[in-house]
Amino acid sequence: MFKRLYPALVITRREVRDQLRDWRIIFPVLGLTVFFPFLMNFTAQQMLGFVNRYGATIIGERLVPFLLMIVGFFPISVSLVIALETFVGEKERGSIEPLLNTPLEDWQLYLGKLLAATIPPLLSSFLGMSVYLAGLVIGGVPLPPLQVLFQIFSLTVVQAVMMVAGAVVVSSQATSVRSANLLSSFIIIPVALLIQGESVVMFWGDYTTLWWAVGGLLVLTVLLVRVGTAHFQREELLGREIDVLNVKWMWRVFRREFTGGAAHFGMWLTRSLPRALRDMRVGIWVAAGLAVAGVAIGLSIVPRFFLTLNVADMDQMGGRLQDLLDLWSLAGAAPVMAIFWQNMRVLLLASVVGAFTLGILGVLPLMASTAAVGYLYGLLVSNGFPPLTFVMLILPHAVLEIPAAVLATAAVIHAGARLATPDSSKTVGEVGLAAFANWCKIMVGVVIPLLIIAAGIESWLTPRLALLFFR
Amino acid sequence: MILAEDLTKHFDDFVAVNGISLDVPTGRVMVVLGPNGAGKTTTVRMLTSILTPTRGRALVAGFDVVRQAHEVRRVVGVLTEHHGLYGRMNAHEYLEFYGNLYGLSSREARRRSDALLEQFGLASAGKKRLGEYSKGMRQKLALVRALLHEPPVLLLDEPTSAMDPESARMVRDAIHTLRSSERTILLCTHNLLEAEELADQVAIIRAGRIIRTGTPENLKRELLGAPEFEARLGSSLNGWTPDGLPEGVHLTGQGENWLRFGVEAPDAANPRLLRRLLEERLAVVAFSEVPRSLEQAYLEAVAQENRQEAARV
């Protein structure tokens, strides 16, 4: 095993040595490792003194681990720069070709560079966190619990590897450091949002959620590494010209995938679309399973977030529904469009989030929606209402809306899976474009029509059926 | 040692290499000539298993470039167009790094690199940072890197393009030595004098296709016609006209005291021609072949190709 790893370690050793000779890397890392923790230490002590004066000790307690996370994160942010430099810089300077001529295997080169871009920033991050923690001990500030420390260390490691793995994917789409830097916003922005989310969780004090973050990031990192290794290949590194925007080519790829070779609309509807649905059947099963899981979660949280429903309010339901029907006339398209757009917004959000996370977070809107459905059902039944109440209020349009959401989510999962599946014959951009075209096909061919019909039912039929029941 | 059959490479719609076939036996040097963008680098990259051929196959030192890529890379030394040096390393560190990648121990890599640096006149610059190297020094070091693991096959892309005449001579001598030690060499160059000196075989490549191949002598004969021989006379011709020249010999030019002949088969015809001149009591003081360069042959090949293409259009 070591024999196979050795060439990767040779690469790592050279790269690390090279980094240690570059003052542009050394100075910022030193600053972030040695001076920044002192600053954070000082900030923590001042803040603690200030908030304790006003009895807000909880803010101080939450601030200490938060600052530890920040101290750990800043040095690892350098890993992104190093990764772009080591992967694209070599390509740009032409020094990658002699390396590709050696008996190195692609994965050994990838691993060597991944380690080189990850280890030095991580070591400086650990050093910085140690300096910060030592400062806390010296200043007599209580340390966060061991579990939280371990969570923050785990998050730091996973985030560093994730950024580097993401940088490799970005690098495969660039032949110059400049273009790679431009593309790196696809990593920086999600990571910035992630840090904000983690900060909220830390100030909220719900540290168990951090484990979910660690787990989710780990899965995402594994997928990014998979995509990276799939595209970090000799042929792709040297054989493609990818910096020029080629609209014609993009259109060709999109059209080929979208039409699926269909010559006319009828053929597209009867052959290409069913084939696309068949191709993503695993995604459909996964999305359906997650939808069911969402319902189960919704039902399970009813006791925790129980609301007592006022029977008198429910008695007034008939009157309210009548008011609604007075507003929503049978011929009116406005409520249909409003409902349709609301549902579309949620599914678009799912696809945007999914695009950044290889489909992983794209399942959340579906799960949240079905969890809400489960919760509502549980709440009505727990308050003694017959299940038919729920059926009248939700089911008429949900029979179309939920399958539409499942299919849209399945398309996002399928797109993520395609991106994460090694395909050395295509670039990441080409795979992404094809996945996008397939998503468009499912949306245009199935999801949008279903949502429009569901919105029509929801605005025209559901209130009338419910009115019959509540009268 | 290098065998390629119908080697073809497409990049989407662009055909970079179109059905190239090569056969370079052990201990021979094949020079590939061609303009920029002709497909030389793509061919080399296919032979080093970096690019997968769209069609065709190639064997290097007996290994298939697609199915045995790892073995191919072990037995090939490549000098690429980009030398790929790391500016913050010195030559010893750099060569040790590459030696390790080729499976050499650090000690062995050091031993070999010391010898090669000495051979190429870089020993005194061994500890200098590579960022401070001149172009020629970089090129020599890249060549040293290609030779470090003592590969039986060498693929050299423009090995002397950035070198001063002295260094270029050093490298050409090294190539002669390598050939005599049974290394197989494929050399891409624009330097036709160098090609003429080194080549056992020449392949002229244009727009991804080999348009001519053969030994330099055969190419010259094929493209420039029969060789010419010049007779220098000790006295003036005084209106002498050549009659009754041997078969396969014709007069191509003459001056006050010289004559030039086109000779189809010099081995057979030249003795008869000389005898004829002497019979005429002409005072021949020198008889030699008129030098013709590979450059003329190359330009003629390209011109012929252009004419054929124009005719096709």
Side-chain angles (χ1 to χ4, degrees):
Chain A
M1 186 63 192
F2 177 76
K3 204 176 166 191
R4 298 207 73 200
L5 278 179
Y6 178 72
L9 299 177
V10 171
I11 296 284
T12 307
R13 190 178 59 195
R14 190 207 72 74
E15 299 253 358
V16 171
R17 194 188 274 179
D18 207 47
Q19 288 167 31
L20 295 178
R21 287 173 179 173
D22 191 344
W23 65 268
R24 289 163 302 182
I25 292 176
I26 291 297
F27 282 169
V29 167
L30 266 182
L32 292 170
T33 308
V34 182
F35 303 114
F36 185 64
F38 280 117
L39 181 68
M40 286 295 106
N41 230 278
F42 175 76
T43 308
Q45 288 180 22
Q46 293 302 309
M47 279 293 286
L48 277 174
F50 177 75
V51 295
N52 285 348
R53 249 187 288 160
Y54 298 96
T57 48
I58 193 166
I59 296 177
E61 283 168 18
R62 305 275 159 91
L63 189 71
V64 171
F66 167 73
L67 290 179
L68 177 65
M69 184 182 77
I70 297 299
V71 166
F73 177 73
F74 275 25
I76 62 163
S77 63
V78 179
S79 66
L80 181 64
V81 181
I82 296 174
L84 292 178
E85 168 58 28
T86 183
F87 284 96
V88 190
E90 283 234 52
K91 225 194 282 188
E92 189 174 25
R93 287 188 299 273
S95 55
I96 194 107
E97 191 168 356
L99 274 181
L100 300 181
N101 284 318
T102 65
L104 272 174
E105 287 179 38
D106 293 335
W107 70 266
Q108 289 169 329
L109 186 52
Y110 177 90
L111 180 67
K113 286 180 170 288
L114 185 90
L115 291 175
T118 314
I119 290 174
L122 263 182
L123 288 179
S124 64
S125 171
F126 292 158
L127 184 62
M129 287 199 275
S130 305
V131 170
Y132 172 75
L133 290 174
L136 291 181
V137 172
I138 293 165
V141 178
L143 292 181
L146 203 61
Q147 182 210 335
V148 176
L149 289 180
F150 186 61
Q151 280 177 325
I152 294 171
F153 273 84
S154 308
L155 265 180
T156 308
V157 173
V158 177
Q159 277 168 182
V161 182
M162 183 194 72
M163 281 199 287
V164 174
V168 181
V169 177
V170 161
S171 303
S172 70
Q173 288 303 291
T175 48
S176 68
V177 177
R178 178 180 159 273
S179 54
N181 279 326
L182 292 172
L183 284 173
S184 67
S185 55
F186 282 101
I187 303 165
I188 293 165
I189 294 170
V191 170
L193 292 172
L194 178 74
I195 293 292
Q196 286 177 31
E198 286 167 6
S199 309
V200 170
V201 170
M202 294 188 96
F203 274 102
W204 195 264
D206 186 5
Y207 292 112
T208 315
T209 312
L210 281 184
W211 283 126
W212 285 100
V214 173
L217 287 175
L218 201 61
V219 173
L220 182 60
T221 305
V222 170
L223 289 178
L224 284 172
V225 168
R226 199 165 167 226
V227 177
T229 47
H231 293 279
F232 193 76
Q233 293 183 350
R234 284 169 160 83
E235 176 108 22
E236 192 150 328
L237 288 169
L238 283 181
R240 295 183 199 271
E241 185 53 59
I242 42 187
D243 279 354
V244 180
L245 181 69
N246 189 340
V247 180
K248 261 189 191 169
W249 169 83
M250 287 169 72
W251 171 242
R252 233 180 14 242
V253 173
F254 182 89
R255 197 179 61 180
R256 188 180 60 214
E257 186 72 21
F258 187 83
T259 61
H264 51 79
F265 180 68
M267 199 173 161
W268 182 79
L269 207 60
T270 55
R271 288 196 200 164
S272 175
L273 196 58
R275 194 169 56 231
L277 287 167
R278 264 199 311 277
D279 286 349
M280 52 179 246
R281 59 186 176 276
V282 176
I284 294 173
W285 280 112
V286 171
L290 291 170
V292 173
V295 173
I297 291 168
L299 285 169
S300 70
I301 60 171
V302 171
R304 200 170 156 197
F305 300 102
F306 187 75
L307 292 173
T308 306
L309 298 177
N310 193 339
V311 180
D313 282 352
M314 293 305 283
D315 287 344
Q316 292 167 12
M317 187 65 97
R320 287 180 187 170
L321 282 167
Q322 189 55 59
D323 293 343
L324 192 66
L325 286 173
D326 291 341
L327 279 172
W328 290 3
S329 69
L330 257 175
V336 179
M337 288 318 293
I339 292 168
F340 166 72
W341 179 234
Q342 167 59 22
N343 289 333
M344 270 304 286
R345 267 197 309 192
V346 175
L347 296 182
L348 286 175
L349 175 74
S351 55
V352 170
V353 176
F356 278 102
T357 57
L358 298 176
I360 297 170
L361 293 184
V363 302
L364 286 184
L366 173 71
M367 287 186 79
S369 305
T370 54
V373 170
Y375 174 73
L376 187 63
Y377 175 79
L379 200 63
L380 285 170
V381 173
S382 304
N383 276 279
F385 290 94
L388 197 62
T389 326
F390 171 81
V391 171
M392 286 296 132
L393 287 171
I394 304 284
L395 212 58
H397 56 275
V399 289
L400 295 178
E401 230 170 48
I402 291 175
V406 167
L407 286 174
T409 307
V412 173
I413 295 170
H414 185 66
R418 276 181 81 164
L419 277 167
T421 304
D423 183 355
S424 55
S425 65
K426 295 187 175 102
T427 63
V428 178
E430 197 174 349
V431 175
L433 204 57
F436 174 64
N438 192 61
W439 176 84
C440 288
K441 186 197 283 189
I442 301 299
M443 292 302 281
V444 171
V446 189
V447 176
I448 291 176
L450 279 178
L451 286 182
I452 291 174
I453 299 169
I457 292 173
E458 191 171 352
S459 57
W460 296 328
L461 189 64
T462 308
R464 285 175 172 80
L465 281 174
L467 190 61
L468 287 176
F469 178 76
F470 282 105
R471 269 181 186 160
Chain B
M1 194 56 101
I2 300 176
L3 181 72
E5 288 170 359
D6 194 28
L7 215 51
T8 301
K9 182 67 189 175
H10 294 191
F11 293 108
D12 297 324
D13 299 336
F14 175 68
V15 184
V17 171
N18 190 5
I20 278 183
S21 297
L22 297 169
D23 184 3
V24 193
T26 305
R28 294 300 171 100
V29 177
M30 172 172 266
V31 172
V32 179
L33 298 173
N36 295 326
K40 300 190 295 289
T41 304
T42 304
T43 306
V44 168
R45 284 177 178 172
M46 283 193 280
L47 293 175
T48 50
S49 299
I50 287 184
L51 298 179
T52 309
T54 310
R55 197 179 66 226
R57 70 176 201 129
L59 298 176
V60 175
F63 297 113
D64 187 288
V65 295
V66 177
R67 284 182 285 112
Q68 295 167 297
H70 192 70
E71 286 78 3
V72 168
R73 289 187 205 112
R74 280 201 176 283
V75 295
V76 169
V78 190
L79 175 68
T80 50
E81 189 184 355
H82 301 287
H83 305 134
L85 308 187
Y86 300 108
R88 282 188 282 270
M89 289 180 118
N90 65 37
H92 291 302
E93 291 168 342
Y94 181 74
L95 294 172
E96 185 188 339
F97 166 65
Y98 268 96
N100 290 159
L101 290 180
Y102 278 103
L104 303 178
S105 67
S106 294
R107 178 188 270 188
E108 181 60 14
R110 179 73 188 224
R111 190 188 66 74
R112 291 190 194 181
S113 61
D114 281 349
L116 285 165
L117 289 173
E118 185 68 43
Q119 183 187 345
F120 286 94
L122 290 173
S124 59
K127 288 187 177 161
K128 200 171 167 182
R129 292 208 166 183
L130 303 185
E132 296 167 26
Y133 270 35
S134 69
K135 268 188 182 175
M137 288 166 84
R138 285 169 192 227
Q139 198 161 16
K140 279 196 273 185
L141 185 64
L143 186 60
V144 168
R145 180 196 65 217
L147 298 171
L148 190 66
H149 58 294
E150 297 177 350
V153 177
L154 281 163
L155 305 175
L156 309 176
D157 197 354
E158 301 275 345
T160 60
S161 60
M163 289 182 192
D164 57 68
E166 193 187 345
S167 300
R169 168 49 50 202
M170 198 185 280
V171 169
R172 284 199 285 273
D173 288 346
I175 292 173
H176 281 300
T177 312
L178 289 164
R179 174 170 46 192
S180 52
S181 62
E182 293 296 288
R183 307 287 171 88
T184 308
I185 301 169
L186 185 91
L187 189 148
C188 301
T189 184
H190 292 298
N191 185 337
L192 291 146
L193 287 174
E194 182 174 282
E196 189 150 19
E197 180 188 331
L198 297 172
D200 295 309
Q201 286 170 281
V202 172
I204 302 175
I205 179 170
R206 189 171 176 275
R209 285 187 309 111
I210 290 182
I211 55 172
R212 294 281 171 165
T213 183
T215 64
E217 284 313 309
N218 282 346
L219 278 181
K220 281 188 229 172
R221 177 176 294 239
E222 206 177 291
L223 291 157
L224 303 174
E228 285 188 314
F229 290 84
E230 189 175 274
R232 285 265 158 198
L233 307 175
S235 56
S236 167
L237 280 168
N238 283 332
W240 177 83
T241 51
D243 292 322
L245 288 174
E247 198 181 334
V249 177
H250 60 278
L251 189 71
T252 56
Q254 69 179 87
E256 181 64 26
N257 61 346
W258 59 270
L259 294 160
R260 197 173 277 186
F261 304 96
V263 183
E264 293 295 336
D267 290 349
N270 277 0
R272 291 204 298 272
L273 173 62
L274 269 172
R275 206 161 28 236
R276 176 83 186 94
L277 294 176
L278 293 173
E279 281 167 10
E280 290 290 333
R281 298 188 185 282
L282 293 171
V284 178
V285 292
F287 185 83
S288 59
E289 186 174 355
V290 178
R292 294 182 306 171
S293 66
L294 187 61
E295 183 179 11
Q296 288 170 293
Y298 170 76
L299 292 174
E300 179 57 29
V302 173
Q304 280 184 14
E305 189 66 15
N306 284 341
R307 284 196 294 273
Q308 282 173 11
E309 200 169 289
R312 276 198 295 272
V313 171

